[in-house]
Amino acid sequence: MMTRIAVLAAALAAAPSVAAPDAGPAGPDGSAPRRSLQYNSCAARDAPPPSSLSSSRSVIDAAMSHIRRHRSTIEEGLFRSKPFWNATYTVPSTEYRYEDFESALKFMATTGVEDDAGRGRRKKFWLGPDNCNDDGYVVGLANVAAFLGQSAATVIANDTCDELNWEF
């Protein structure tokens, strides 16, 4: 299972690596520094207020574009399941498809669902902050990787729609 999660994390982490004046220290091997929100002087200033964790259209578009570019890696490395409970190999999932994932992610990032309390607020999937370097979507990719990693470990691998209950 960790192999699939590692493949997905590598695909999602393949965001552009461009050195910027405020990019931070060089790598231990002397390589050019990677742009990082940690060393980004505008990240804190441009972060959304805590009450509105909704990504802007440009951030959503950047994240979705990055995910689309890595479609084959995601399909081949993540949307796979065991054909039977003790199988030692995987096959393409019959329940989980890339198209459905992309559609659901876009819906949750843009429209969301009604708040449980019914206060008219919407819960959305956060795909990152706006910032002056236009790389806030990288934070959102970490959210996507965490969500898919949990999904792969609990439901995708077994082609189920809910967690498996091993206590029956």
Side-chain angles (χ1 to χ4, degrees):
M1 186 58 57
M2 286 306 293
T3 311
R4 279 188 235 153
I5 295 169
V7 167
L8 175 67
L12 292 177
S17 175
V18 179
D22 62 347
D29 59 354
S31 61
R34 287 183 60 106
R35 217 166 35 171
S36 166
L37 292 176
Q38 179 181 359
Y39 296 106
N40 185 338
S41 62
C42 68
R45 181 182 72 228
D46 296 341
S51 62
S52 73
L53 286 179
S54 182
S55 301
S56 72
R57 190 69 180 157
S58 63
V59 170
I60 292 169
D61 290 345
M64 296 305 291
S65 174
H66 184 83
I67 290 169
R68 274 187 219 105
R69 284 193 306 272
H70 296 284
R71 176 184 177 149
S72 63
T73 304
I74 293 169
E75 282 181 319
E76 294 166 13
L78 184 73
F79 293 124
R80 301 187 60 77
S81 61
K82 297 176 189 176
F84 49 92
W85 74 272
N86 63 350
T88 57
Y89 61 93
T90 60
V91 297
S93 174
T94 59
E95 298 292 325
Y96 297 93
R97 299 274 180 244
Y98 175 85
E99 295 83 9
D100 298 331
F101 156 69
E102 184 180 324
S103 174
L105 180 61
K106 188 169 186 174
F107 176 83
M108 287 303 298
T110 57
T111 305
V113 294
E114 186 71 29
D115 187 345
D116 293 346
R119 294 182 293 242
R121 295 185 192 160
R122 312 246 353 135
K123 291 185 178 184
K124 297 180 180 179
F125 195 98
W126 192 59
L127 287 177
D130 276 318
N131 65 18
C132 60
N133 289 328
D134 294 327
D135 62 357
Y137 73 95
V138 175
V139 174
L141 294 178
N143 286 346
V144 173
F147 172 77
L148 286 176
Q150 176 66 26
S151 299
T154 58
V155 296
I156 297 173
N158 299 298
D159 257 352
T160 60
C161 294
D162 199 2
E163 294 180 17
L164 291 178
N165 182 351
W166 297 100
E167 299 176 11
F168 50 88

